[in-house]
């Protein structure tokens, strides 16, 4: 059975649905803060979500901002310290050459509008937030629950299957075949400009074809002149011949990759080391892969 719609597709025993929304409004954001127990959230949080439901068992794989942010809080990485002077100076030289401004000028984050005797120290300060990881780095690799008669209750009664270690891999050869794309969407879960220190985002792409479906979720973070993080999670499922259902057993493969590089480390290796060479997650992934730096890989399977 195969059917398509504006927000998804049903094929091979799976119902794939994407919900693409605007940035959460004030009321919705306050409710999210209450549920998470924090007022420190990215500037842009979306209600977008991806759901892939196995129709015969009700097992649901889904990706959403709330779960991603909850895992950010749980991981609780130490705050990243940004040497504002060094970061700013490199950026300024790249744009305007070696001429530097007078020491009496202050940073935007100082909130001041003028110079004064204290302005000379402004460029020597370190911008840091001691209370929380302001890069919003999350270990999130998707959520699994069980939809029982239309009610999702995966933590209490549903008992979703666990992810287990596997030797299976994403079939990249199949993904490169020229099969028709039945459904495609790209969602942003949340993003931030990190108080003008860089960029970060958590995004999800989904692609459904007659013989498989594929999901790529990325957490990407660039703190200018300091650090790049890229955490990628790939989900892959091969649809049985004819698109009638799953092979037995019905398996979803999950590949997880983590890359982290300092700009100084990239420079020392002769790899691209300017922030402008990493403008977005796609470009960052390509450049880091070509640079050949360290990567942590994990492989898991979900059997439904």
């Amino acid at each position: 059975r195969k059917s398509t719609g504006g927000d998804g597709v049903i094929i091979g025993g799976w119902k794939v649905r994407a919900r693409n929304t605007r940035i959460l409004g004030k009321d919705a954001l306050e409710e999210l803060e209450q549920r998470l127990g924090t007022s420190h959230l990215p500037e842009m949080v979306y209600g977008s979500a991806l759901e892939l439901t196995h129709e015969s068992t009700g097992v649901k794989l889904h990706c959403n901002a709330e779960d991603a942010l909850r895992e950010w809080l749980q991981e609780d990485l130490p705050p990243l310290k940004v040497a504002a002077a060094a970061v700013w100076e490199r950026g300024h030289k790249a744009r305007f050459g070696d001429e530097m401004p007078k020491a009496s000028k202050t940073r935007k984050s100082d909130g001041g509008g003028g110079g004064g005797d204290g302005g000379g120290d402004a460029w020597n300060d370190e911008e840091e937030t001691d209370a929380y990881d302001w890069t919003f780095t999350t270990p999130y690799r998707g959520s699994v629950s069980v939809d029982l008669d239309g009610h999702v209750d995966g933590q209490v009664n549903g008992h979703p299957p666990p992810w287990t270690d596997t030797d299976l891999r994403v079939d990249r050869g199949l993904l490169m075949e020229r099969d028709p794309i039945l459904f495609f969407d790209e969602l942003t879960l949340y993003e931030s400009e990190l108080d003008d220190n860089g960029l970060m985002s958590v995004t999800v792409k989904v692609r459904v074809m007659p013989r498989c479906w594929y999901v790529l979720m990325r957490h990407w973070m660039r703190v200018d002149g300091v650090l790049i993080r890229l955490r990628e999670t790939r989900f892959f499922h091969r649809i049985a011949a004819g698109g009638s259902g799953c092979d037995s057993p019905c398996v979803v493969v999950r590949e997880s990759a983590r890359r982290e590089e300092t700009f100084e480390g990239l420079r020392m290796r002769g790899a691209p080391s300017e922030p402008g060479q990493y403008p977005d997650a796609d470009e960052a992934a390509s450049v880091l892969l070509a640079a050949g730096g360290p990567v942590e890989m994990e492989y898991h399977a979900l059997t439904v």
Side-chain angles (χ1 to χ4, degrees):
R1 181 166 66 102
K2 178 176 70 176
S3 64
T4 60
D7 63 347
V9 63
I10 300 173
I11 185 172
W14 289 87
K15 181 186 296 183
V16 181
R17 287 287 180 266
R19 183 175 71 249
N20 221 324
T21 74
R22 298 179 179 180
I23 298 171
L24 294 181
K26 179 181 178 182
D27 292 343
L29 200 58
E30 289 179 351
E31 291 174 3
L32 178 61
E33 289 175 347
Q34 290 178 357
R35 292 195 299 271
L36 293 174
T38 181
S39 60
H40 300 295
L41 293 180
E43 303 100 285
M44 293 164 279
V45 181
Y46 299 79
S48 302
L50 173 67
E51 297 180 348
L52 303 102
T53 305
H54 187 240
E55 292 186 294
S56 64
T57 62
V59 172
K60 179 181 292 187
L61 172 63
H62 47 110
C63 304
N64 62 83
E66 182 169 344
D67 287 350
L69 287 166
R70 184 171 288 109
E71 293 199 18
W72 155 67
L73 288 168
Q74 292 170 351
E75 186 174 36
D76 194 24
L77 290 177
L80 185 66
K81 296 182 179 181
V82 178
V87 173
W88 179 88
E89 182 176 342
R90 279 196 293 270
H92 183 90
K93 285 184 177 181
R95 294 178 60 192
F96 304 112
D98 291 331
E99 183 179 354
M100 301 297 287
K102 303 298 182 182
S104 61
K105 293 187 178 181
T106 60
R107 292 175 302 170
K108 175 181 177 182
S109 58
D110 289 333
D117 295 338
D121 294 333
W123 299 109
N124 297 319
D125 290 345
E126 280 195 338
E127 290 185 292
E128 62 177 294
T129 301
D130 292 327
Y132 68 101
D133 169 29
W134 54 270
T135 69
F136 305 103
T137 297
T138 178
Y140 185 57
R141 295 185 290 184
S143 309
V144 181
S145 60
V146 178
D147 192 342
L148 300 174
D149 297 326
H151 176 66
V152 177
D153 196 2
Q155 296 183 343
V156 180
N157 300 317
H159 303 297
W163 291 101
T164 58
D165 293 338
T166 184
D167 293 326
L168 298 173
R169 299 292 186 266
V170 171
D171 189 339
R172 286 169 171 78
L174 181 55
L175 292 176
M176 293 177 66
E177 294 286 343
R178 294 181 177 274
D179 289 353
I181 296 177
L182 305 177
F183 178 71
F184 173 84
D185 208 345
E186 182 172 2
L187 317 173
T188 299
L189 302 187
Y190 63 84
E191 56 187 341
S192 170
E193 294 183 351
L194 303 179
D195 294 326
D196 294 328
N197 285 306
L199 295 169
M200 68 76 49
S201 64
V202 178
T203 59
V204 182
K205 295 180 181 180
V206 56
R207 176 160 48 117
V208 182
M209 293 154 289
R211 293 188 287 170
C212 66
W213 55 253
Y214 171 70
V215 176
L216 170 60
M217 180 166 60
R218 276 184 174 143
H219 165 87
W220 168 69
M221 182 223 42
R222 186 196 76 210
V223 176
D224 293 344
V226 181
L227 187 71
I228 295 176
R229 282 190 185 126
L230 182 66
R231 295 183 174 185
E232 297 179 305
T233 303
R234 291 172 168 84
F235 304 93
F236 174 83
H237 171 68
R238 182 189 295 272
I239 297 169
S244 57
C246 293
D247 290 326
S248 183
C250 188
V251 177
V252 177
V253 177
R254 184 180 73 184
E255 290 187 2
S256 307
R258 288 189 178 190
R259 290 179 170 86
E260 183 169 315
E261 295 267 13
T262 65
F263 278 90
E264 185 63 29
L266 288 166
R267 274 191 291 274
M268 292 177 65
R269 294 211 321 270
S273 57
E274 294 300 325
Q277 293 170 298
Y278 301 87
D280 54 44
D282 289 338
E283 194 68 22
S286 298
V287 176
L288 290 177
L289 181 62
V295 57
E296 298 178 15
M297 297 293 304
E298 292 185 3
Y299 303 93
H300 297 95
L302 183 75
T303 302
V304 299

